[in-house]
Amino acid sequence: MEWGVNEWVAVGSAALALASLVLNWLVVRRQTELQYETLRTEMDSAVIAWAHEAIDSVAGASTLARGRGVMYPADEFRRLAHETSQKLSAIADRGRLFFPNEEHDRHGQDKEAAFQGFRPPILDSIVFACGRLDRMAAEGGPDTESAEFLTKCRRLLVSEAQNAIDPRRRKQMLNRLAVGRLDDKTSAFKVAADLGEAMEALYPGYLLQRRDAAWIAAREEMGRRRR
């Protein structure tokens, strides 16, 4: 079979159509990936903003416990505790938009849909902090036991919030931060070590681990491995 101009034009047109189809598929795929990344970034930003407010509120509750009767007279403590408790309650409910309950079919069937099932630990940390604050009496001196309990709640909250953010994206962010420090010849780990040692000198036993040269070298090596 001899190929004429029409046949070659037809083959060329088919090849162009196929190439266009492949290119269009690649473009659509890339756009879909970008849309997903954008949505995930927005979601992470919303979770971070929520976590910031939650951490501040739990920390505020701990401050109230430590300052009861010293910094905060009974009437002022009662007012601030009520305001902080209401804020914690609202933050917990807002957190359900990001962290829904689990096993809805096994618990709380008589409740509204968002409250059926079991709370995730990140919401437990806020709910328990709110409950502890609600049960604190306005009279008396510093409540160190409640303050320590609230500190544990805050640490659980921070840990769970950190886990909720995409570790891969967090690593990329840390890499960008590391690149931004390349022109700074001062070791941030050395500065942190000096601050820690200054606290140790003032308050012996403050540091769980001394910030010596080996500590600085180990942290700097970790930073280099992240790049």
Side-chain angles (χ1 to χ4, degrees):
M1 175 181 178
E2 295 184 0
W3 286 54
V5 174
N6 292 335
E7 286 76 11
W8 283 110
V9 169
V11 171
S13 298
L16 287 175
L18 179 60
S20 177
L21 178 63
V22 172
L23 180 61
N24 183 66
W25 177 79
L26 291 174
V27 170
V28 171
R29 179 183 177 185
R30 179 57 179 166
Q31 289 177 341
T32 302
E33 292 175 350
L34 289 175
Q35 290 173 352
Y36 171 79
E37 289 298 324
T38 300
L39 180 62
R40 185 57 191 265
T41 300
E42 292 175 352
M43 184 69 172
D44 286 352
S45 298
V47 171
I48 290 173
W50 172 85
H52 284 171
E53 187 174 0
I55 292 168
D56 288 346
S57 296
V58 176
S62 179
T63 299
L64 285 173
R66 294 186 187 280
R68 185 182 66 176
V70 178
M71 298 177 59
Y72 308 105
D75 289 342
E76 184 178 5
F77 178 91
R78 191 176 292 108
R79 177 181 62 82
L80 292 175
H82 176 73
E83 292 176 356
T84 304
S85 175
Q86 293 301 308
K87 183 179 294 186
L88 286 170
S89 178
I91 289 173
D93 282 348
R94 285 162 50 195
R96 296 178 187 276
L97 301 177
F98 306 115
F99 308 101
N101 286 3
E102 302 170 352
E103 300 184 358
H104 301 81
D105 57 339
R106 294 184 55 189
H107 178 72
Q109 295 298 303
D110 57 326
K111 300 179 181 179
E112 291 81 358
F115 297 86
Q116 295 176 4
F118 299 97
R119 286 189 306 268
I122 191 170
L123 296 186
D124 275 345
S125 67
I126 302 172
V127 172
F128 294 156
C130 181
R132 186 66 179 249
L133 182 60
D134 281 342
R135 288 160 177 77
M136 288 179 58
E139 296 77 13
D143 189 343
T144 55
E145 184 178 349
S146 291
E148 291 174 359
F149 177 88
L150 291 165
T151 297
K152 292 180 180 179
C153 289
R154 189 179 77 237
R155 289 176 176 174
L156 174 60
L157 168 62
V158 172
S159 298
E160 290 299 301
Q162 188 180 69
N163 290 337
I165 307 302
D166 186 354
R168 178 171 56 85
R169 182 174 292 104
R170 186 166 64 250
K171 182 177 180 180
Q172 293 173 348
M173 179 184 69
L174 291 174
N175 288 341
R176 290 196 296 271
L177 291 175
V179 171
R181 292 198 303 264
L182 291 180
D183 57 347
D184 188 353
K185 303 305 180 182
T186 303
S187 170
F189 298 108
K190 176 64 167 59
V191 175
D194 290 343
L195 291 173
E197 289 299 323
M199 289 294 291
E200 177 67 23
L202 291 172
Y203 311 103
Y206 176 82
L207 291 179
L208 297 178
Q209 182 181 8
R210 298 301 296 270
R211 266 60 169 169
D212 54 14
W215 183 91
I216 296 172
R219 295 307 182 276
E220 289 180 342
E221 177 61 26
M222 288 175 58
R224 283 190 290 270
R225 287 201 299 267
R226 286 201 301 262
R227 297 173 188 173

